[in-house]
Amino acid sequence: MTAGLREIPAEELTAEQAAAELEALARELAHHDKLYYGDAAPEISDATYDALRRRNQAIEARFPELIRPDSPSLRVGAAPAAGFAKVVHSKPMLSLANAFSADEVGDFVARLHRFLGLDPGAPIEVLAEPKIDGLSAALRYEGGRLVRGATRGDGQVGEDITANIRTVDDVPKALAGADAPELIEIRGEVYMRRSDFLALNQAQTAAGKAPFANPRNAAAGSMRQLDPRVTAGRPLRFFAYGWGEVSGPIGATLEEARDRLESWGFRLNQPARLCRSVDELLAFYEETFGTRGELAYDIDGVVYKVNRLDWQDRLGMVSRAPRWATAHKFPAEQAQTTLKAIAVNVGRTGALTPVAELEPVTVGGVVVSRATLHNEDEIKRKDIRPGDTVVVQRAGDVIPQVVSVVKEKRPKGAKPYRFPRRCPACGSRAVRQEDEAARRCTGGLVCPAQAMERLKHFVSRDAFDIEGLGEKHIEAFWEDGLIKTPNDIFRLKERTEELKTREGWGEQSVKNLLAAVEQHRDIALERFIYALGIRQVGQATARLLAKQYGSLGAWRQAMEAAEDREGEAYRELVAIDGIGPLVAADIAAFFAEPHNRAVLEELARELRVADFEAPAGASPIAGKTVVFTGGLETMTRSEAKARAEALGAKVASSVSAKTDYVILGAAAGSKAKKAEELGVTTLSEEEWLALIGG
Ligand code: IVH
């Protein structure tokens, strides 16, 4: 009976039907809770369980008077009904650029000088502190009270983990003292101590559950529990290292800000030291590296941050990381093992990538059985042969790699490796362009590996992210001919009957999948562009394109027109800062392929792709295109550019009819003339500063 009822949308149920279904749901969910938490033997997938909870919630929302005393939604610490809700970060949560050597630390500091327009010898105070490998979280306090916790997610949108974060002892539920701003979002790292991690793994193993690979995975896994009671039982801790949105000033320097965070009740990454030169930074790094074993938790490097907050503002960010900070990573951990074989994978762009299949070995606490061999030349250069004993290395969360061969241990008769000249997936010729490291399959669309990898990318987390449609499903559906192109995903409902008869699938799981697909017919332009998997168009580039062209229609039209290398559309494309001729060539190649255009055409019909929304809506220059020319007096060119971009403007390098403002510095030349010819507004530096608010 309930299965029949569940076909009816919650909005259309009668009160009588609703009561019957709520009763059934209470019974079923209690049963599944017991299986999951009590017996650790769930019968249904998490997605199916979530769907039941969502259904319960939807009916209760419509008929609050029918909420039962034994309702699953009233159970203490019950799981959030719909998995985790999404949280849009009011300020993006960034990642950090990395330095791996003393030279790279020198480059970081030199860049600070250049950007701030300081003499190379001028001291810049930089705060150094340990870098913890956990998972970042944002804690929002309003009126001094913790109101929300969120994960980083993709940096723009994270997951609501409020209930879970409240279970962490280190996280103040209310800020101490009376001087906290009305609104502040504290950012920091959730982590686990080594000893707690080992104890947890022992308990996991004793309970017949899989142990975690490392403390970071254990922390992340614990934080992503749908039931906060499980999280509460995990030994999680929190270090604060920064903040996002804040309603009032928090100090003039990072040092001052750290003192305030501490006074409000947070623990901070220790030890921290204020340094004034590259040498001082490197000394801190060496000391921290040498004494890291004395810390109770693992660290994977140190972080350097400019101390003055006004300088941090000026430095801003680049791509997805602040320009005012960098991580200096510790050298990777290494181990020796046998290379059983070299497998060759075919990626979505047809690149053949060699992968080492290894005798499993523990490297830095993680069992590694596969490692990257990078490419053909690397194998040749290191003379890596199947059967060799190799040195495997892991650094942070980077994919493990084969560093070198232990030649003394080479078995007799090991033959040099010959890289395949044909695609292992489709047998087409695999060729190498002169300037490229990778050999590529020429099979294009006839190559199943490429098509399948593209589909996997299409549904991946930062692209369409369809719940219940992961890599494994794509592979299985591909094999059975259910999904061959992205459009097939959105036409799955035509194959409902076929889906239901698949092994492991039933009425409810098919329904859930189709519902998840429906939900994703709405997508932001930048995600959509990224999902297409055009070579060299990662998230940052997809965002640049979305920002520049605004809508799917405008973008498609411009990209098709950009095939003409002499035309205005091509010029506009390569003038986007961050998109050079090489990226433009890859985009043009994508659009030159009739099949790709056809896929786009169909997708455009199936989906609702939302126009790009510029951040910082109130900014007077949001969405405008500006060009700087001549020398500026109050700031360096890169700083001016970064500020304009932070306010939502696009900065172009050449003037066209689409330019909104040209900012004239000293000795502005041909661009000023061009602006005049085209009737584009020109501004002096002073006028520009007035426009953007100083
Ligand atoms: S500062 C990017 N300081 O490392 C925003 N981050 O690899 C400023 N992390 O996303 C970050 N310890 O989650 C900062 N002392 C520390 C840190 C730290 C760990 C994490 C953080 C960041 C990631 C980048």
Side-chain angles (χ1 to χ4, degrees):
M1 174 213 58
T2 48
L5 273 182
R6 254 164 235 168
E7 303 288 321
I8 308 172
E11 308 82 69
E12 291 168 20
L13 288 171
T14 64
E16 204 176 328
Q17 289 171 325
E21 205 185 334
L22 287 177
E23 185 197 348
L25 281 165
R27 208 173 44 235
E28 281 177 53
L29 282 162
H31 169 69
H32 293 304
D33 281 346
K34 180 178 170 301
L35 289 175
Y36 185 87
Y37 298 116
D39 312 343
E43 265 172 4
I44 54 172
S45 70
D46 287 357
T48 310
Y49 177 86
D50 292 347
L52 289 177
R53 278 200 168 265
R54 271 200 298 274
R55 176 77 177 167
N56 190 71
Q57 192 191 30
I59 301 174
E60 289 185 343
R62 225 194 116 213
F63 297 100
E65 69 282 6
L66 296 181
I67 297 179
R68 304 166 54 86
D70 64 346
S71 162
S73 61
L74 295 179
R75 236 171 279 148
V76 184
F84 294 102
K86 301 272 183 235
V87 173
V88 178
H89 297 301
S90 50
K91 280 190 158 189
M93 284 186 80
L94 306 174
S95 58
L96 284 170
N98 288 321
F100 289 98
S101 65
D103 279 353
E104 287 175 6
V105 177
D107 292 346
F108 164 67
V109 175
R111 241 182 348 260
L112 297 177
H113 280 104
R114 260 202 319 278
F115 194 92
L116 294 169
L118 300 174
D119 283 343
I124 298 180
E125 285 185 346
V126 176
L127 195 88
E129 62 187 30
K131 180 172 183 311
I132 275 222
D133 201 13
L135 94 149
S136 40
L139 314 176
R140 194 178 170 89
Y141 290 85
E142 287 174 10
R145 308 221 146 254
L146 174 64
V147 294
R148 196 175 68 199
T151 62
R152 189 175 103 94
D154 64 2
Q156 311 278 346
V157 181
E159 285 178 327
D160 189 327
I161 48 160
T162 311
N164 290 349
I165 206 80
R166 281 185 189 281
T167 69
V168 178
D169 286 345
D170 283 350
V171 169
K173 314 305 171 279
L175 300 178
D179 67 333
E182 175 53 31
L183 163 70
I184 183 160
E185 192 191 277
I186 300 293
R187 293 186 175 172
E189 203 84 349
V190 177
Y191 70 98
M192 211 177 268
R193 289 185 169 198
R194 254 194 314 273
S195 55
D196 289 336
F197 160 72
L198 293 173
L200 172 64
N201 263 358
Q202 264 177 4
Q204 289 280 111
T205 320
K209 295 186 193 151
F212 293 102
N214 51 39
R216 174 206 160 100
N217 286 7
S222 304
M223 204 30 88
R224 295 203 77 259
Q225 291 292 327
L226 282 177
D227 185 340
R229 286 171 298 182
V230 178
T231 310
R234 300 279 170 84
L236 293 168
R237 291 163 194 268
F238 181 81
F239 275 136
Y241 57 63
W243 59 93
E245 193 180 356
V246 52
S247 60
I250 180 167
T253 63
L254 200 53
E255 254 195 332
E256 281 176 36
R258 276 176 63 98
D259 286 345
R260 293 195 71 194
L261 295 191
E262 204 158 30
S263 76
W264 296 331
F266 291 99
R267 290 177 196 279
L268 310 179
N269 298 42
Q270 301 287 9
R273 185 187 299 166
L274 204 55
C275 302
R276 287 179 185 76
S277 67
V278 175
D279 285 345
E280 285 180 28
L281 291 174
L282 295 176
F284 177 83
Y285 171 87
E286 290 300 338
E287 278 171 46
T288 313
F289 182 60
T291 53
R292 70 190 190 291
E294 293 163 24
L295 293 174
Y297 40 83
D298 287 342
I299 58 174
D300 60 344
V302 297
V303 186
Y304 304 140
K305 304 174 189 177
V306 168
N307 193 35
R308 268 179 63 168
L309 300 185
D310 57 338
W311 281 0
Q312 286 192 4
D313 282 344
R314 281 179 60 188
L315 286 155
M317 62 177 203
V318 59
S319 203
R320 302 171 113 212
R323 209 182 263 109
W324 45 264
T326 199
H328 189 181
K329 293 294 211 45
F330 291 150
E333 309 219 31
Q334 300 190 335
Q336 290 190 8
T337 187
T338 314
L339 174 67
K340 295 197 296 191
I342 295 177
V344 175
N345 290 346
V346 188
R348 72 185 145 86
T349 59
L352 268 49
T353 41
V355 179
E357 295 192 339
L358 306 164
E359 198 56 57
V361 62
T362 309
V363 192
V366 174
V367 177
V368 172
S369 55
R370 286 159 80 80
T372 175
L373 289 165
H374 298 293
N375 55 49
E376 190 172 346
D377 290 346
E378 279 297 295
I379 300 182
K380 202 182 254 170
R381 193 173 65 76
K382 295 174 186 157
D383 186 18
I384 300 172
R385 308 179 183 190
D388 270 342
T389 296
V390 291
V391 177
V392 183
Q393 157 170 310
R394 248 189 90 238
D397 42 13
V398 178
I399 306 170
Q401 41 186 314
V402 171
V403 197
S404 59
V405 171
V406 188
K407 293 265 167 66
E408 309 80 64
K409 296 192 182 168
R410 172 164 287 166
K412 277 207 186 72
K415 292 198 188 62
Y417 178 73
R418 187 166 186 276
F419 203 87
R421 299 296 193 264
R422 291 201 169 265
C423 170
C426 70
S428 305
R429 276 188 330 118
V431 298
R432 249 181 104 170
Q433 306 286 345
E434 234 169 64
D435 52 346
E436 278 202 342
R439 192 171 281 280
R440 279 176 205 282
C441 163
T442 53
L445 292 165
V446 306
C447 177
Q450 284 185 55
M452 192 145 77
E453 291 306 315
R454 275 192 197 201
L455 281 169
K456 287 183 190 168
H457 173 79
F458 191 82
V459 299
S460 65
R461 184 174 163 159
D462 294 323
F464 271 77
D465 192 19
I466 300 178
E467 198 182 327
L469 194 61
E471 296 205 347
K472 290 269 173 299
H473 300 104
I474 289 288
E475 277 176 20
F477 288 0
W478 166 275
E479 296 289 334
D480 298 348
L482 276 166
I483 298 180
K484 289 282 181 190
T485 71
N487 305 302
D488 291 340
I489 297 172
F490 296 97
R491 284 195 300 253
L492 271 179
K493 65 170 177 291
E494 295 164 19
R495 327 251 325 225
T496 310
E497 290 314 313
E498 248 170 286
L499 282 170
K500 280 189 204 159
T501 57
R502 294 178 69 83
E503 205 188 310
W505 289 76
E507 186 97 19
Q508 192 57 39
S509 44
V510 169
K511 222 170 136 191
N512 292 344
L513 173 65
L514 295 179
V517 167
E518 282 313 302
Q519 263 180 17
H520 288 81
R521 280 188 199 270
D522 289 289
I523 188 160
L525 179 60
E526 63 261 42
R527 260 183 187 260
F528 177 78
I529 296 178
Y530 172 72
L532 295 175
I534 302 171
R535 246 183 101 192
Q536 300 205 65
V537 178
Q539 281 177 285
T541 306
R543 209 175 148 73
L544 289 176
L545 290 166
K547 193 162 155 190
Q548 178 76 16
Y549 297 99
S551 72
L552 177 59
W555 179 63
R556 280 174 64 195
Q557 204 175 12
M559 295 307 97
E560 285 177 23
E563 243 185 281
D564 170 13
R565 299 291 161 93
E566 308 297 319
E568 174 66 22
Y570 180 78
R571 267 202 299 282
E572 181 180 356
L573 177 60
V574 288
I576 301 175
D577 193 44
I579 297 189
L582 293 177
V583 180
D586 279 327
I587 300 175
F590 179 90
F591 276 87
E593 175 75 56
H595 170 85
N596 289 336
R597 289 205 302 270
V599 167
L600 257 180
E601 181 69 45
E602 279 188 62
L603 280 174
R605 269 202 302 270
E606 295 279 353
L607 304 176
R608 289 173 295 266
V609 180
D611 291 353
F612 181 79
E613 269 180 53
S619 153
I621 58 164
K624 304 279 189 222
T625 302
V626 304
V627 173
F628 291 97
T629 177
L632 301 175
E633 273 179 15
T634 57
M635 58 183 99
T636 62
R637 177 72 70 81
S638 23
E639 187 177 355
K641 197 166 132 279
R643 280 192 62 188
E645 284 174 347
L647 290 167
K650 301 166 213 155
V651 179
S653 53
S654 64
V655 180
S656 77
K658 293 200 176 139
T659 312
D660 293 293
Y661 299 114
V662 176
I663 294 92
L664 306 176
S670 62
K671 288 182 192 165
K673 211 166 131 232
K674 181 96 184 270
E676 199 180 321
E677 280 165 19
L678 294 171
V680 172
T681 310
T682 58
L683 300 174
S684 67
E685 185 173 346
E686 212 174 313
E687 288 167 329
W688 164 250
L689 287 174
L691 176 68
I692 63 170

